[in-house]
Amino acid sequence: MIYREAGQFKTTYSADQAIFPILQDKILVALGIAAVIILPTAFANEYWLQAVLIPFLVYALAAIGLNLLTGYAGQISLGTGGFMAVGAYAAFKLTTSFPGLNILFVFVLAGVIAAAVGLVFGIPSLRIKGFYLAVATLASQFFLIWLFNRVPWFVNYASSGTITAPPRTVFGVMATGPDASAQARYLVALGFVALLALAAKNLVRGRIGRSWMAIRDRDIAAEIIGIRPLRTKLLAFGISSFYCGVAGAELVFLYLGSAETLAFDINVSFLVLFMVIIGGLSSILGSFLGAAFIVLMPIFLTNAPHLVGINLPVALLKQIELMIFGGLILFFLIVEPHGLARLWQITKEKLRLWPFPH
């Protein structure tokens, strides 16, 4: 009975097209924002911040980027890990070459560099699509990882071949490096994902998002009505790569601390793709739900057997995890192609009509 919009009248188009048109949604979102800022920093321990919340935010940002490209623009990509690597190595070179550069600006510049690389590898989308485009982007994944492995300039000629996040501050607080607290790194990651998620939500609701969806649904008809495939597809690749580049920089600077190219291998590309499929294509919320599911599922599978007194080998747990992922992907593709986001939308619609029949 609480979740009702009866009596809430809209007098303008902007009010009717707001992201949260119902007052209850606005209140819940405001409370949720306050909760994710205050509760984790005040009560969450080091394990929850470092092993759960920070990787969740980083992968959610990467999933948003892939969802913009695959879910909204309909361009299949298997090169997410490579574009994340571009952002990570670009951020490393920027911080070591320009020590006085603000780390927040470094993340943005790393995303811009990844966007430029994404534009280059997005050119094949003008001629091919579907499975062939997936293979082309898969080639970009292997090429970028090979490049970072073979050219020592990207790691400042370090013999170990690893990149390490140098200590940097944000508003006087240490945010990266070994001395940065988990709370500070969490707040930086949260700020980026909140701003970029809001930007993505408004982007897909505007002219650019409608152009992407037109190309995705009927590319020939979209071109006939005046939508330019060249600009539309390349813009999707560029913006998607920007998000993935920022996520890759955060993966090293806010989560891992140091990394090799192995941290951005093909498994990362498939992992982000699983997040988008399970969470829901063409849904910003689905990117968060999919990332939460993928991050929390291994932790649940690791601890669940111990709670019931069963001790299973780690290798077996890993295989069970892969089987569950595969089964869930098949389930959502067959039963609910729009993923967890669609299930949440159905729940909200039922709450708005309850207890009346549907």
Side-chain angles (χ1 to χ4, degrees):
M1 299 297 292
I2 298 177
Y3 195 71
R4 290 283 193 278
E5 67 268 32
Q8 301 183 32
F9 303 105
K10 283 83 174 178
T11 57
T12 62
Y13 285 112
S14 59
D16 188 58
Q17 296 297 319
I19 298 178
F20 305 108
I22 303 175
L23 178 61
Q24 292 90 328
D25 284 341
K26 296 178 182 178
I27 296 174
L28 288 175
V29 169
L31 293 176
I33 292 174
V36 298
I37 294 175
I38 297 173
L39 295 181
T41 54
F43 302 105
N45 55 27
E46 186 82 10
Y47 171 78
W48 273 96
L49 288 170
Q50 180 63 33
V52 179
L53 295 178
I54 293 176
F56 157 68
L57 294 174
V58 171
Y59 283 119
L61 185 59
I64 292 173
L66 182 60
N67 217 337
L68 292 177
L69 180 64
T70 302
Y72 287 97
Q75 309 300 304
I76 302 175
S77 174
L78 294 178
T80 306
F83 299 131
M84 292 176 67
V86 172
Y89 280 83
F92 173 73
K93 291 297 296 184
L94 287 170
T95 51
T96 53
S97 301
F98 307 97
L101 201 59
N102 187 282
I103 191 62
L104 300 180
F105 194 51
V106 166
F107 287 159
V108 175
L109 284 179
V112 171
I113 294 173
V117 175
L119 289 175
V120 174
F121 287 103
I123 293 176
S125 67
L126 306 177
R127 294 293 182 182
I128 59 178
K129 57 183 178 180
F131 173 77
Y132 301 99
L133 180 59
V135 173
T137 55
L138 185 63
S140 70
Q141 164 77 32
F142 289 118
F143 172 77
L144 291 171
I145 297 301
W146 173 86
L147 181 66
F148 294 133
N149 273 325
R150 293 297 181 180
V151 181
W153 177 81
F154 289 108
V155 296
N156 289 342
Y157 303 95
S159 57
S160 61
T162 61
I163 56 175
T164 303
R168 293 292 184 271
T169 60
V170 175
F171 303 118
V173 179
M174 191 66 66
T176 64
D179 297 328
S181 65
Q183 288 83 358
R185 288 183 280 114
Y186 166 77
L187 289 176
V188 173
L190 178 64
F192 263 98
V193 76
L195 291 176
L196 291 179
L198 180 61
K201 184 65 176 179
N202 284 286
L203 191 67
V204 299
R205 297 167 68 240
R207 178 180 57 84
I208 295 175
R210 291 193 295 270
S211 300
W212 286 346
M213 288 181 278
I215 290 290
R216 176 197 64 191
D217 296 336
R218 294 288 187 274
D219 53 348
I220 297 177
E223 188 174 3
I224 290 174
I225 64 175
I227 296 175
R228 300 179 181 178
L230 170 64
R231 184 175 63 183
T232 304
K233 291 182 179 181
L234 289 184
L235 186 61
F237 268 94
I239 295 177
S240 171
S241 300
F242 173 83
Y243 276 72
C244 293
V246 175
E250 290 185 352
L251 185 68
V252 175
F253 280 70
L254 302 180
Y255 176 42
L256 298 176
S258 62
E260 299 177 351
T261 52
L262 188 62
F264 304 98
D265 63 3
I266 187 62
N267 293 325
V268 176
S269 297
F270 283 116
L271 193 68
V272 178
L273 181 61
F274 294 163
M275 294 176 186
V276 173
I277 294 174
I278 293 175
L281 290 167
S282 305
S283 171
I284 304 300
L285 175 62
S287 302
F288 285 96
L289 296 178
F293 184 89
I294 297 297
V295 170
L296 292 175
M297 179 57 71
I299 298 174
F300 172 78
L301 292 177
T302 302
N303 295 287
H306 299 289
L307 296 177
V308 295
I310 300 175
N311 293 321
L312 296 177
V314 177
L316 178 59
L317 288 174
K318 190 64 178 178
Q319 295 300 320
I320 294 175
E321 175 186 332
L322 293 176
M323 288 188 292
I324 291 177
F325 284 162
L328 285 171
I329 290 172
L330 291 175
F331 171 80
F332 283 112
L333 286 176
I334 296 173
V335 178
E336 186 49 78
H338 296 289
L340 295 173
R342 177 57 183 165
L343 297 179
W344 170 246
Q345 184 180 4
I346 293 174
T347 302
K348 289 179 62 177
E349 290 174 356
K350 290 183 179 296
L351 285 174
R352 291 167 67 179
L353 295 176
W354 185 85
F356 300 105
H358 296 68

